[in-house]
Amino acid sequence: MPIGVLEWIKNGGLVLYACFKAFLPLPSLEVVLIPLILKNPDGWLLYALEGAVGTAVGGWIGYQIARQAQQAVLRKFASEKQIAAGKELMDRYGVLAVFIGGVTPIPDFLLAYLAGMTQMALIPFLLSDGTARLLRSVLIGWCIRSLGYVVDIERWGTVISLVTIAWLLLRWARSDE
């Protein structure tokens, strides 16, 4: 990732990216979070908090979109069978499904759309989703910062970042299949 892009993200773009990726099918937050933390390990907690705040705001937007549009939005990203399975999980487990989905690599926008489509109560959704995303961002941030103490980041940081970004982008590209 070019340094200019990292500087833009570091100066507030991380919140914006996290917001958009919470209701649009964009690559995972880790694609930008990991290089930022590798470049500035002392900022790991701030980056994790910015990512969590952006994701929470974006989750609210996705929730509102799905609440109004219902299944029309999800049909762009999932089959009827997948929508039915997601709806069943949301109906059965509610905020627990949102929390578990929030700490796993399940795309954010799907959780927000499912919660809005199933008319889940907004405040419990936001609390569950926000808490899960915060925990995930803090855990990833702490792990990457800690990795910097084990690995010579000056020497291997760029390679680690590029391999991680390539792996995440490949995973994201394959998720569309």
Side-chain angles (χ1 to χ4, degrees), residues 51-165:
V53 166
T55 303
V57 171
W60 175 79
I61 292 169
Y63 175 94
Q64 295 300 336
I65 290 169
R67 195 165 177 105
Q68 299 301 315
Q70 293 296 305
Q71 289 188 11
V73 174
L74 276 173
R75 284 190 188 114
K76 302 279 185 201
F77 308 109
S79 69
E80 291 295 327
K81 184 178 178 181
Q82 291 170 321
I83 293 171
K87 185 177 180 334
E88 182 181 326
L89 284 172
M90 293 302 261
D91 289 341
R92 185 172 181 187
Y93 297 106
V95 293
L96 184 60
V98 173
F99 183 82
I100 291 170
V103 295
T104 64
I106 293 173
D108 298 357
F109 70 94
L110 291 178
L111 293 171
Y113 290 158
L114 281 168
M117 183 189 81
T118 58
Q119 307 290 312
M120 179 182 284
L122 178 61
I123 299 301
F125 164 72
L126 290 176
L127 289 174
S128 180
D129 188 52
T131 302
R133 300 300 173 178
L134 175 63
L135 288 174
R136 181 176 173 186
S137 292
V138 167
L139 179 63
I140 288 169
W142 180 80
C143 287
I144 296 300
R145 193 234 22 206
S146 298
L147 176 68
Y149 295 126
V150 175
V151 175
D152 181 4
I153 293 299
E154 291 292 323
R155 184 172 183 191
W156 296 102
T158 302
V159 173
I160 292 169
S161 292
L162 292 174
V163 168
T164 303
I165 290 169

